[in-house]
Amino acid sequence: MTGKTEIGISKNLESTKKKRPIKTAKMTRARKNNVIGYLFISPWIIGFIGLMLGPMLFSFYASFTDYNITSKMNFIGLANYKQMFTVDDMFWTSLWNTLYYVLFSVPITTAGALLLAVLLNQKVKGMKIFRTIFYLPAVLSGVAVYFLWMQLLSPSTGMVNTMLSWVGIEGPAWLFDPKWTKPALILMKIWSVGGGMLLYLASLQGVSKNLYEAAEIDGANIFQKFFHITLPMVSPVIFFDLVTSTIGSFQIFQEAYVMSESGNGGPANSLLFYNLHMWNNAFKTFDMGYASGMAWILFVIIMILTVFQLKISKRWVHYEGGNDK
């Protein structure tokens, strides 16, 4: 028995020795593939570390310092954040202006882009021309568009008030009236919903016609088909548009900077948005530490809202493969 045991052990050792080179070769090949993969993505890694992660860590540290570019960083702890919430009244004004813009512009532009896509999804002769016309505002240069709208919204000679006067409505002062400055920017945002419209149009064309045919057989009208077929099938795109539009609306800056005379916030600070106030602190008063603190507060607000949207999306976003996929 002892001899048989020794023979068995020796055979196992020999088989193990034979398997080791195969495993070693596989591990070497896997490591080589990993190295090649990392080499291919190294430009992105270098860019992420140098252009994103590095500046983020720097700004996070700067938010706890008194820093104005020309002097050394003096660590002051939470003083910048304390000033933000207890001393700087313009912080709350800018935050309120931004929240107002987000709460009204995001739902209105999302609904407008979706309804426009539904209309442009019809089989009508010359529809491609209409699609191009409605999409063009989304590709026009920003600053040029802002100057154009400043002319259109002129209280006395602007085309908007002129058209309102044709139906007996006296147009407001728009950019000169604190009550109408933010609605003016929202109106301008509605004009450029072509980008979102294109997303919805592509999604609508992917909805199976069999669903609509089955609904017609069951006697569904146009509104029932829209709410029970169209909306659920394009809900992933609606969710994507809501998330990206919310983030983009919180970062509104150019419109207010150009249309309020180099960032003075417009009449009665009605156009002093959060990013504009942060920019003024960073590049007018050169209080980089305070501006960095504002940037991180904005980051936290956007993160909280994004996580909230992700949580509630499980209740209304429909995926063809199932909600858990």
Side-chain angles (χ1 to χ4, degrees):
M1 293 294 293
T2 305
K4 292 181 178 180
T5 304
E6 291 177 354
I7 293 172
I9 293 173
S10 62
K11 287 182 177 180
N12 291 333
L13 290 173
E14 289 177 1
S15 63
T16 304
K17 290 178 180 179
K18 291 179 180 178
K19 291 179 180 179
R20 281 180 180 174
I22 298 175
K23 289 185 178 180
T24 304
K26 289 182 179 180
M27 292 175 63
T28 304
R29 193 180 300 111
R31 290 175 181 174
K32 184 179 179 180
N33 291 335
N34 290 338
V35 171
I36 294 173
Y38 283 119
L39 286 176
F40 274 109
I41 66 172
S42 59
W44 179 87
I45 294 175
I46 295 171
F48 174 75
I49 295 175
L51 301 177
M52 293 186 65
L53 183 61
M56 285 180 66
L57 295 176
F58 177 82
S59 69
F60 182 72
Y61 176 74
S63 66
F64 299 100
T65 64
D66 181 14
Y67 177 51
N68 64 358
I69 300 180
T70 58
S71 63
K72 294 182 179 180
M73 289 185 174
N74 298 318
F75 188 80
I76 56 175
L78 298 174
N80 286 328
Y81 294 96
K82 183 179 179 181
Q83 177 184 349
M84 220 177 291
F85 293 111
T86 60
V87 179
D88 186 9
D89 293 333
M90 292 297 101
F91 169 81
W92 295 107
T93 300
S94 64
L95 184 59
W96 161 247
N97 289 336
T98 306
L99 288 174
Y100 180 100
Y101 180 79
V102 172
L103 288 174
F104 286 96
S105 68
V106 172
I108 293 174
T109 55
T110 301
L114 177 58
L115 294 177
L116 184 61
V118 171
L119 292 175
L120 295 178
N121 194 39
Q122 308 302 316
K123 292 184 178 180
V124 179
K125 188 176 181 180
M127 185 57 71
K128 292 182 180 179
I129 299 175
F130 289 103
R131 292 172 182 173
T132 304
I133 292 173
F134 281 105
Y135 180 69
L136 278 178
V139 299
L140 296 179
S141 175
V143 176
V145 170
Y146 306 149
F147 279 109
L148 172 64
W149 273 95
M150 289 173 69
Q151 297 296 323
L152 293 174
L153 295 173
S154 174
S156 56
T157 60
M159 185 179 294
V160 175
N161 281 1
T162 301
M163 294 176 65
L164 289 175
S165 66
W166 293 346
V167 292
I169 299 175
E170 183 179 357
W174 297 113
L175 298 175
F176 298 94
D177 187 347
K179 297 179 180 179
W180 287 97
T181 51
K182 288 184 283 294
L185 295 190
I186 294 172
L187 177 64
M188 184 176 66
K189 185 69 174 179
I190 296 172
W191 179 71
S192 60
V193 296
M197 176 271 297
L198 196 65
L199 288 174
Y200 291 121
L201 185 60
S203 180
L204 287 170
Q205 292 182 352
V207 179
S208 176
K209 296 180 181 178
N210 296 331
L211 297 174
Y212 294 107
E213 292 174 357
E216 289 179 359
I217 294 173
D218 291 337
N221 57 37
I222 187 172
F223 295 104
Q224 290 173 327
K225 287 189 289 185
F226 177 77
F227 286 104
H228 295 287
I229 296 178
T230 304
L231 281 182
M233 296 304 294
V234 302
S235 58
V237 179
I238 297 175
F239 171 64
F240 171 79
D241 190 27
L242 284 174
V243 172
T244 55
S245 297
T246 301
I247 296 173
S249 297
F250 266 103
Q251 297 175 345
I252 180 175
F253 169 75
Q254 288 184 347
E255 297 91 328
Y257 181 79
V258 174
M259 302 176 80
S260 65
E261 297 182 3
S262 300
N264 61 9
N269 295 315
S270 59
L271 288 179
L272 185 66
F273 293 107
Y274 193 93
N275 270 16
L276 181 59
H277 184 44
M278 181 170 60
W279 188 90
N280 288 336
N281 279 286
F283 298 104
K284 283 190 175 181
T285 62
F286 294 101
D287 193 351
M288 288 292 180
Y290 185 76
S292 297
M294 288 189 64
W296 277 96
I297 292 297
L298 181 61
F299 173 78
V300 171
I301 293 173
I302 291 176
M303 282 296 296
I304 292 173
L305 289 176
T306 303
V307 172
F308 175 74
Q309 288 176 319
L310 287 170
K311 291 292 184 182
I312 65 173
S313 67
K314 298 177 181 179
R315 301 181 180 180
W316 63 274
V317 178
H318 169 77
Y319 296 100
E320 290 188 48
N323 292 330
D324 297 331
K325 295 182 180 181

